[in-house]
Amino acid sequence: MSEYLWHCPFCDTDQIVSSEGMQASFSDLTAENAEGPRRLVVKFVVCPNPKCRQFALDASLHLLTISGNRGYTGKHLKTWNLVPPSRARTFPVSIPRAVLEDYREACLVAETSPKAASALARRCLSGMLRDFWSVQPGSLSDEFRQVKGTADPLTWEAVESVRNTGLIGPRMESEGAEIQDSEPGESQLLIGLIETLIHDWYVNRDVRRKRLAEIKQIAETGRSEPAVPSAE
Ligand SMILES: [Zn+2]
């Protein structure tokens, strides 16, 4: 197994995982059954970041193809995230508790109940819009409309790409947290949008604040110290 890029859910960084950091084993169902042969793959990934070194664990079910007396891993059917229990990321900044709870819960039920996950994800998006941009409460699409000219154009493109799928828009004009039919892929899209917006809004604001504090400190130190002769 060669190296591959992996996003660590614990330290929230992209990491290159080598073969030593990844361990997988499998168990086969070969007994006659209604569904046919199956293979369960259990995979550990250890984060190579020396400050983290946490492990992630998942189990995935695949079709099992048998040829001669050898079995081969076939089409992927389902994955269960065991450690951590969902794909929810950790963020290095403080985010309103209600927003974070909705996000984490949406991630937790994304596989088993996409409908509930989408409803939670929409409520989370609305919570972010009200907290970060102080929008007037309305339908989710209306709340997004209020930040249209103000949000960064690239961020807005991400919003638009999800809006164009109808997940934020005509189908949900009436109420932000209304429960609607939803496919797993749809809830994943909404969860992905939440992650993008947390990064673009909360994380970036924190980075800018820290930079500003540094500049202010440098400026103040510069003022209080005697002028350094220039090297001209
Ligand atoms: Zn890590």
Side-chain angles (χ1 to χ4, degrees), residues 8 10-11 13 47 49 52-53:
C8 176
F10 296 98
C11 60
T13 56
C47 178
N49 176 0
C52 176
R53 302 298 283 166

Side-chain angles (χ1 to χ4, degrees), residues 6-15 46-55:
W6 177 71
H7 189 90
C8 176
F10 296 98
C11 60
D12 195 35
T13 56
D14 287 330
Q15 296 287 336
V46 178
C47 178
N49 176 0
K51 286 185 191 148
C52 176
R53 302 298 283 166
Q54 297 286 325
F55 72 82

Side-chain angles (χ1 to χ4, degrees), residues 106 108-122 167 179-188 190-191:
L108 205 57
V109 299
E111 280 280 335
T112 49
S113 177
K115 213 190 261 191
S118 292
L120 284 160
R122 287 194 184 97
L167 291 173
I179 305 231
Q180 293 160 5
D181 283 337
S182 190
E183 300 288 323
E186 297 187 341
S187 57
Q188 297 295 357
L190 290 168
I191 289 168

